[in-house]
């Protein structure tokens, strides 16, 4: 793989662009998850330049690179100001997962060690991951089957002497609705328990939607009892990936997220994050994006995002066989199907038309659905998006639901996946139309995912997880 002789930049970039040809496009709004496009290329260009300028600064040692301390203070300060507590202490992290990991660590170390996290079933898996990594237990609480938000009474019933953290989402990713933050935080506070608001996706969106006229309930650090909040700038801050901010009510709690070690004969370690050596590029990119857009830019993006969301929700309601789950309070929309219109088939049909709609499996009584994240660029293409959804739904009705091969879920659920060799697993995948050997080569045919999703949907969560781990491992072999 390593060439004997160094290659030219032109040669390398040509190869990268060839490899990327099979990727989903990151601009233009036809991919309605993963990517956040302002529709303003000059803003992204500015961010790239600021990113590159800071790329080689190492955030390992803030005394060596004061520039990064100054920039981080500005970025954290901007988020604190927007989220109800100017001057609140915070940490710039690599993403929502790391922000959540550190909020959970702070909660664990705030108490005597060990304990439980109480969270709605709609909370992001990053909390399960944090609990898994940090040796805590998760206590999931069901959500209302109509509003998809958690009920304060159910949260109260789940609190025990072992609870170290209560979680509310603003909004939750799956249906884009906001948990009752005021009530949940008050309950936690009454029991002396910390409360984290996961505003990873909503933190840098909801305040601008509110300014644009949306009814957004209080959800931030101004709410009594909220002790930490996470806000991803690489989502609705439109910053390049690797950018999130975690805010704390006070500096004492932030110190519980830090880690220091003097237990070796090398340089002393003081880390604010999970990572130690890390590039200041993402920090520069986030700062550059915030500065390039300014309040006016975000206000305008909030306005167009809200209008696009309203038009999307209204438009979907008029498509036979589809319905929007709950009442979206942000710009995330979940679309469920019906007996006649299988959402997994809709996703494949939309993909054929050049659009990516993100499948979400059924869970905890919530039906399978397609997730759409409406961003700044969506408004310009919202009519085209609705036409694609309507056409895909029509085609899905004509094709009928994905057919799960007889007995396959039972067969998979009964397998010891660790005992299968890769070749046998690849054969199993081929039986549902997935060519694992072709993946990553860049020339694999457009995958038909409906049957795969239908099979996964028929499996219990633990088996889904085992299959997914196996899938990833084979993809990289
Ligand atoms: C995206 C998201 C996360 C996780 O963030 P990453 O940046 O992907 O690690 C956590 N919570 C919510 C609500 C999210 O939308």
């Amino acid at each position: 793989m390593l060439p004997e002789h160094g290659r030219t930049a032109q040669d390398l970039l040509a190869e990268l662009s060839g490899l990327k040809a099979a990727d989903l496009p990151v601009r233009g709004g036809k991919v309605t998850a993963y990517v956040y496009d302002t529709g303003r290329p000059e803003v992204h260009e500015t961010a790239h330049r600021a990113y590159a300028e800071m790329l080689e600064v190492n955030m390992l040692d803030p005394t060596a690179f004061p520039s990064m301390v100054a920039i981080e203070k500005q970025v954290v300060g901007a988020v604190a100001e927007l989220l109800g507590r100017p001057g609140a202490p915070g940490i710039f992290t690599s993403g929502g997962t790391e922000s959540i990991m550190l909020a959970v660590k702070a909660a664990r170390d705030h108490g005597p060690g060990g304990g439980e996290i109480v969270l709605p079933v709609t909370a992001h898996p990053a909390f399960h991951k944090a609990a898994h990594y940090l040796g805590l237990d998760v206590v999931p609480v069901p959500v209302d089957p109509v509003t998809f938000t958690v009920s304060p009474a159910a949260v109260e019933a789940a609190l025990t002497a072992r609870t170290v953290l209560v979680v509310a989402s603003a909004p939750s990713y799956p249906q884009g609705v906001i948990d009752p933050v005021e009530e949940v935080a008050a309950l936690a506070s009454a029991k002396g328990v910390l409360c984290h608001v996961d505003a990873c996706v909503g933190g840098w969106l909801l305040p601008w939607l509110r300014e644009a006229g949306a009814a957004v309930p209080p959800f931030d650090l101004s709410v009594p009892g909220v002790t930490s909040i996470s806000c991803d700038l690489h989502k609705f801050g439109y910053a390049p990936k690797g950018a999130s901010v975690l805010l704390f009510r006070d500096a004492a709690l932030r110190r519980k997220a830090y880690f220091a070690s003097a237990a070796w004969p090398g340089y002393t370690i003081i880390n604010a994050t999970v990572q130690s050596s890390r590039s200041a590029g993402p920090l520069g990119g986030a700062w550059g994006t915030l500065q390039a857009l300014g309040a006016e830019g975000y206000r305008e993006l909030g306005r167009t995002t809200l209008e696009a969301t309203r038009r999307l929700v209204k438009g979907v309601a008029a498509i036979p066989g589809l319905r929007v789950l709950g009442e979206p309070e942000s710009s995330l929309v979940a679309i469920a199907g019906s007996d006649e219109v299988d959402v997994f088939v809709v996703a494949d049909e939309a993909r054929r038309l050049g659009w990516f709609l993100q499948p979400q499996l059924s869970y905890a009584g919530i039906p399978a659905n397609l997730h759409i994240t409406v961003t700044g660029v969506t408004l310009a293409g919202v009519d085209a998006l609705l036409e694609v959804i309507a056409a895909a739904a029509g085609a899905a009705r004509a094709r009928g639901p994905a057919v799960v091969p007889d007995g396959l879920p039972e067969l998979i659920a009964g397998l010891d996946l660790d005992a299968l060799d890769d070749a046998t697993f690849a054969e199993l995948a081929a039986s549902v139309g997935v060519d694992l050997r072709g993946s990553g080569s860049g020339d694999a045919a457009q995958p038909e995912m409906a049957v795969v999703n239908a099979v996964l949907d028929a499996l219990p969560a633990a088996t889904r997880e085992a299959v997914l781990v196996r899938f990833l491992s084979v993809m990289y072999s």
Side-chain angles (χ1 to χ4, degrees):
M1 284 308 276
L2 187 67
E4 181 58 28
H5 302 291
R7 298 164 61 192
T8 64
Q10 194 186 10
D11 188 24
L12 301 184
L13 291 170
E15 179 170 345
L16 289 180
S17 119
L19 287 170
K20 284 172 73 183
D23 287 3
L24 293 170
V26 299
R27 296 279 164 78
K30 290 191 175 183
V31 175
T32 61
Y34 310 130
V35 294
Y36 295 76
D37 185 3
T38 57
R40 291 169 59 173
E42 72 285 0
V43 167
H44 299 289
E45 185 57 35
T46 302
H48 290 185
R49 290 171 66 180
Y51 191 113
E53 183 63 34
M54 296 303 291
L55 183 62
E56 296 190 45
V57 168
N58 190 348
M59 294 183 78
L60 173 66
D61 185 350
T63 65
F65 304 104
S67 64
M68 117 220 172
V69 179
I71 300 170
E72 178 164 343
K73 279 180 166 176
Q74 281 192 40
V75 170
V76 167
V79 177
E81 207 162 289
L82 195 68
L83 295 185
R85 203 171 174 89
I91 303 175
F92 181 84
T93 77
S94 64
T97 299
E98 193 176 28
S99 288
I100 287 167
M101 188 75 68
L102 293 172
V104 171
K105 177 195 173 315
R108 185 195 65 180
D109 293 355
H110 175 77
E116 295 169 351
I117 308 175
V118 171
L119 45 72
V121 291
T122 47
H124 194 278
F127 292 98
H128 297 263
K129 188 176 185 178
H132 182 73
Y133 280 23
L134 294 166
L136 299 172
D137 297 315
V138 169
V139 180
V141 175
V143 295
D144 183 278
V146 177
T147 64
F148 302 101
T149 58
V150 79
S151 99
V155 170
E156 186 167 32
L159 295 176
T160 71
R162 296 192 65 231
T163 311
V164 295
L165 185 66
V166 177
V167 175
S169 306
S172 63
Y173 185 87
Q175 285 81 35
V177 292
I178 303 170
D179 286 319
V181 171
E182 286 183 301
E183 288 94 328
V184 169
L187 282 169
S189 169
K191 291 255 159 82
V193 175
L194 301 178
C195 174
H196 180 81
V197 172
D198 181 5
C200 277
V201 71
W204 201 268
L205 171 69
L206 294 173
W208 307 110
L209 294 185
R210 186 187 277 146
E211 277 200 33
V216 175
F219 71 94
D220 61 16
L221 272 182
S222 65
V223 174
V226 173
T227 51
S228 57
I229 187 167
S230 46
C231 169
D232 294 352
L233 295 175
H234 66 200
K235 287 176 181 159
F236 284 99
Y238 296 97
K241 290 285 182 271
S244 174
V245 167
L246 169 62
L247 296 176
F248 296 95
R249 174 146 289 249
D250 57 50
L253 188 57
R254 180 174 64 177
R255 287 197 296 274
K256 297 293 182 187
Y258 286 171
F259 176 82
S261 180
W264 77 322
Y267 57 87
T268 43
I269 292 272
I270 24 167
N271 291 157
T273 67
V274 176
Q275 298 177 320
S276 204
S277 280
R278 58 183 170 129
S279 169
L283 176 65
W287 177 84
T289 314
L290 295 178
Q291 300 295 319
L293 278 162
E296 202 182 352
Y298 286 110
R299 205 168 285 131
E300 175 63 11
L301 285 164
R303 201 188 59 70
T304 56
T305 302
L306 184 63
E307 187 183 339
T309 308
R310 286 179 173 160
R311 280 170 61 181
L312 178 65
V313 168
K314 204 162 158 227
V316 168
I319 299 174
L322 298 182
R323 71 194 160 94
V324 170
L325 291 178
E327 290 180 22
E329 291 178 277
S330 53
S331 74
L332 313 182
V333 179
I335 304 171
S338 52
D339 287 345
E340 299 77 40
V341 179
D342 178 340
V343 285
F344 299 141
V345 179
V346 174
D348 279 352
E349 291 295 332
R351 185 86 184 256
R352 218 191 292 282
L353 297 170
W355 290 68
F356 177 82
L357 311 178
Q358 186 179 51
Q360 300 192 126
L361 304 180
S362 64
Y363 186 73
I366 300 172
N369 60 84
L370 298 176
H371 179 103
I372 293 180
T373 298
V374 174
T375 70
V377 81
T378 307
L379 184 60
V382 72
D383 292 328
L385 172 59
L386 280 166
E387 275 167 32
V388 163
I389 297 172
R397 181 186 296 276
R399 270 176 63 182
V403 178
V404 174
D406 222 11
L408 187 61
E410 295 74 13
L411 173 79
I412 295 172
L415 284 176
D416 175 4
L417 284 164
D418 280 326
L420 285 190
D421 59 27
D422 281 357
T424 314
F425 184 78
E427 265 174 47
L428 197 63
S431 77
V432 289
V434 177
D435 177 13
L436 283 170
R437 282 142 312 180
S439 58
S441 69
D443 54 18
Q446 193 64 61
E448 286 280 344
M449 294 301 290
V451 175
V452 178
N453 283 320
V455 171
L456 283 174
D457 204 68
L459 294 169
T463 312
R464 289 176 186 172
E465 289 163 1
V467 170
L468 294 170
V469 165
R470 200 53 207 267
F471 181 86
L472 188 63
S473 158
V474 175
M475 249 186 105
Y476 278 90
S477 61

